[in-house]
Amino acid sequence: MTDEQRRPWIVGVSGASGTPFAAAVLRGLLAAGESVDLVVSRASRLTLLDETGIAFRDGHWREDLAAWLARGADGKPDAFAVGGAELERVRHWPAGDLAAGPSSGSYPARGMLVVPASTACVAGVALGLSKDLLQRAASVTLKERRPLVVAVRETPLSGRTLKQMVALDEAGAVVLPASPAFYAGATHIQDLVDFVAGRVLDAAGVPHRLYRRWEGELGGGSRGAQDR
């Protein structure tokens, strides 16, 4: 695929707890054949190091990303196989690079997924602060009327943050709290993570098979869990 044909999803990872959600979304996008532009904020690198032990480095981002995507939500280092061909569809932009492609509305992109989104990130995007590339790319996504999904990971939520989430909704974003459901028959922590990731991809219109969908039949989730 040439640069002229490439229209990636921009994935922004902010400093909230929940780096396994981001990994599941990235795997889902790559499995669907999508291209990805990745922006990992400075704060999120501390969270990633704390939650996984992986240090995400700009100079070695491809190796670090491969280790991150291979890791399961339970901490197993080789839970998933992500091939080199899939990683070739990822482009990484340093969070401090405000001259990067996604900082401009003329840069071709399908939309943006912020997973997880901290309350600081929510505030920055709602107020249009553009303090780093993640916030700038989200602001560009809104002004260009492209899909923006913001997976908020915080509890409890303050009144100020709730108002900022309403502002994002009114601006056209999908505000998607990272709230797993249990009707899909979860038996493992990865199932709960994949449910949230699947809902993010649903909001973006990207096909996936990350969770069992509701089919209008009571008890289906418990039966699905017994079958595993």
Side-chain angles (χ1 to χ4, degrees):
M1 181 181 295
T2 65
D3 285 344
E4 290 76 15
Q5 295 172 320
R6 189 176 183 274
R7 288 191 67 226
W9 283 98
I10 302 167
V11 176
V13 186
S14 80
S17 176
T19 54
F21 294 130
V25 166
L26 288 166
R27 287 192 297 265
L29 288 170
L30 295 176
E34 299 286 349
S35 296
V36 173
D37 275 21
L38 179 63
V39 181
V40 181
S41 77
R42 291 173 180 171
S44 71
R45 298 177 194 221
L46 297 176
T47 308
L48 181 63
L49 181 63
D50 183 55
E51 294 183 344
T52 69
I54 296 170
F56 193 90
R57 302 159 295 173
D58 288 339
H60 302 274
W61 70 266
R62 196 176 297 277
E63 299 94 321
D64 297 337
L65 177 62
W68 182 16
L69 297 188
R71 192 179 186 88
D74 60 357
K76 292 182 180 178
D78 298 308
F80 297 95
V82 180
E86 291 175 308
L87 291 176
E88 286 297 324
R89 286 188 270 111
V90 181
R91 177 180 290 170
H92 166 256
W93 300 97
D97 185 4
L98 291 176
S103 68
S104 172
S106 66
Y107 183 78
R110 296 188 184 279
M112 183 171 183
L113 315 175
V114 184
V115 188
S118 65
T119 54
C121 175
V122 168
V125 177
L127 297 173
L129 297 182
S130 297
K131 74 167 189 175
D132 61 9
L133 180 58
L134 193 159
Q135 292 185 12
R136 171 60 185 169
S139 296
V140 167
T141 301
L142 286 176
K143 80 179 183 68
E144 296 295 326
R145 301 297 191 266
R146 295 168 184 159
L148 173 63
V149 183
V150 181
V152 183
R153 216 309 303 165
E154 184 62 270
T155 189
L157 293 166
S158 69
R160 178 64 62 186
T161 297
L162 289 168
K163 291 176 181 178
Q164 291 160 347
M165 289 165 64
V166 170
L168 287 179
D169 177 80
E170 291 175 343
V174 174
V175 179
L176 194 152
S179 302
F182 294 84
Y183 63 77
T187 60
H188 190 278
I189 186 174
Q190 189 66 53
D191 298 328
L192 299 176
V193 168
D194 285 347
F195 179 88
V196 172
R199 295 299 289 148
V200 171
L201 296 178
D202 286 345
V206 176
H208 66 87
R209 299 182 64 183
L210 287 175
Y211 69 89
R212 172 189 173 276
R213 297 183 182 277
W214 175 252
E215 297 174 345
E217 181 182 358
L218 293 176
S222 61
R223 286 195 296 275
Q226 293 169 4
D227 293 338
R228 296 185 183 184

